[in-house]
Amino acid sequence: MNTVLLHSPALIVGLPIFAAILLMVVSRFGEKVRAVVFFAGIALASLAAISLAEQVLSLGAVRYVFGAPSPAAPLVPPDSGGIPVRILFHVDAAGALMLLVAALTSVAAALYALRSEERASGREYFYPLFLLLVGGVYGMVATGDLFNFFVFLEITSLAGAALTAYRIDHGLAAEAGLKYAVVSTLGGLSFLLGVGILLARHNLLNMAALGARIDLAGFGVPEAVAMALMIVPLAMKCGAVPMHQWTPDTYSRAPAPVSAFLLVSSQASLYGLFRIGFSLFGLSMDVSTVGLFVVILAVLSMFIGVTMAIPQHDVKRLISHHAVSQTGYMLLGAGVCLAVLGDPEKVRVFGRDALAGSLFHMMNYAVYNGLLFLAAGAVIYRTGTRNLDRMGGLGRTMPLTMACFGVGALAIAGIPPMSGFASKWVLYESVFRYSPLLSMVAMVVSLLTLASFVKVFQAMFLGPQRAAYAAVRDVPAAMWGAMAVLAVLTVLLGLFPDVVMQRLLLPAADALINQTAYTMPLGGAQ
Amino acid sequence: MRSRIVGYIASVFYPFCLVFGLYVVTHGHLTPGGGFQGGAVMATAVALMIVSGMFTVAVREKKVVRYKWCEALGLLLFVALAFGGMLQGGSFFHNWLANAGGCFGEAVAAGPNGGALNTGGTIPLMNLAVGVEVFGGISIILVTMVRAMKENRDG
């Protein structure tokens, strides 16, 4: 057990990738074996991620050195000339939060995929790709090395693009996948260029050591260029306006479980943005300008996302536009915290809460938006149409799906007691201290979200029963169970926000705000 | 459009191409190159077969299944070696064979030397795994592209 705990940072990435490769070998032994290996890979990796998160939250940040005689080996080998050359995973409370989110949603999405993709061909490619996507996301949130982060970013991008295009769907899904692939590759290259500039300037790839070095050496023009080259692609990957054009296509054309987990991969990019903004450049750059930039992106995302969502008739496309708008909330809290990072008093009064609220929303959003995608996917699975105008009266025949969708819709609109209310409330209160106007925009956007979901819920589930769907049954138990897990989580997160806040979110926010705690153990290493 | 001379020469070159690729793979820890590069060279042999008009040989279904096996087993060996480090008490990817004697376990001699093949621990084995995997993977890509081209032309 201790060995497993000791190696859990490696296992979270190693297990999904090992299972993906094993699937290529065992796929000829039949569908049962394939499904077992797929689900075991996801579930074991989730267990490792949860135990790692628990370890981090109770004992402090965990560092795992790869390729060393022991995982706790010194970061600077004696013969390296004083440079921390080793590749390591560095998980602190913020990373632990992301690990928990990915662990919970990946299990639900995988369970759902087992049944929803049952009738599709090409599952020998679907399962390994899904495992790679999960492993890539774990890697992105656990790594402490910039180049390593780029590698995992590329793994998630490529696996995500292939999964999006998996149901070719008369070429529409293929087009969406290609768009995602092109956009993410461009973003990835831009990120790589930024990493290259930093490497050329400082001979370092380790984030913690690099943060300390930049703080010492000063923030010059090359660092500014590198920062822009790194922050913009990550904002693009998390779907911030004006780089959001890929989101509606990709999320709406991907199979439902893939959309649900692609959300988490976008969250991992957002986590990377926070890491770079706070931990790497937090002490050295002009935080108020960059923070304001993030706030502007946030307001644009919130407002444009929701106004684009209102006229949609395709249910998954509509939810995708809402995903853009919800990302705006997370950027808003983080942007406000970043903008006041130079002033410890303001950070104490509201900056910390804004960041914690933003992280809380991130967690809730991964759960309830995933739930919405899964529920919409369930309706599409049974009715075969994604057009809201052709649905109606499905509440009579699919009550379980209706209940799950209802929970998700209430949560995204910020209605108590669902989780969306709790996180939005923290955001309203803390952002109000920075600028009341921003809080008002956030509330208006929330109202528009509610209006939009009232329409969707009515169009899908209420009204007279349609003859075409009279024989429609509720979805199979595995799909319903996956939705129920996320629905219960949504309610629980909304009912006990204080527990989550104290145990998980405030430590995570502190881990991001307190840059020296991240860089300190390596500060003397140079 | 198939030329008998080109086809004949290509099939003469085919084994040499493979051997050179294998050389690059096995000397990956001593000379420039390594698993990926060597695997790509080996896959060039398949490309040579295809462009010289011998694609009926290269794209046969039996061959494609073999390429898939190459890809899967290469990757499996790579990950197994990485997990091996963990089982031997080190961390993931720990080089547990280095300096242990036996297969690739010789210690590297100090100072300038001709380079001993029997050193490097897991690194040459990982190179081999990557080489086999890249050979299989690139071959599958080539075959898929040729098949799509043929479909386009025939359809």
Side-chain angles (χ1 to χ4, degrees), chain A residues 7 10-11 14-15 18 21-22 24-25 28 64-71 125, chain B residues 65 68-69 71-73 75-76 79-80 83 85-86 89-95:
Chain A
H7 290 293
L11 289 176
L15 281 175
F18 180 68
I21 296 164
L22 198 62
M24 296 167 71
V25 180
R28 61 194 63 238
Y64 186 93
V65 180
F66 281 90
S70 111
Y125 303 113
Chain B
V65 170
K68 281 187 180 169
W69 271 111
E71 197 188 10
L73 291 179
L75 283 169
L76 205 60
V79 178
F83 270 105
M86 202 186 272
S91 51
F92 200 54
F93 275 111
H94 173 53
N95 193 340

Side-chain angles (χ1 to χ4, degrees), chain A residues 76 82-84 204 208-210 212-213 216 522-526:
Chain A
V76 188
I83 292 176
L204 285 171
L210 198 55
R213 173 71 65 89
L216 273 181
L522 292 172
Q526 311 163 48

Side-chain angles (χ1 to χ4, degrees), chain A residues 432-483:
Chain A
F432 189 83
R433 300 282 194 92
Y434 178 72
S435 153
L437 189 66
L438 291 176
S439 252
M440 278 160 60
V441 172
M443 283 186 201
V444 170
V445 169
S446 198
L447 276 178
L448 290 173
T449 310
L450 178 63
S452 166
F453 271 93
V454 166
K455 179 193 97 174
V456 175
F457 193 78
Q458 197 275 336
M460 278 167 94
F461 296 109
L462 306 181
Q465 192 163 22
R466 295 209 174 190
Y469 306 130
V472 162
R473 285 171 297 127
D474 221 320
V475 285
M479 288 166 74
W480 179 75
M483 290 190 282

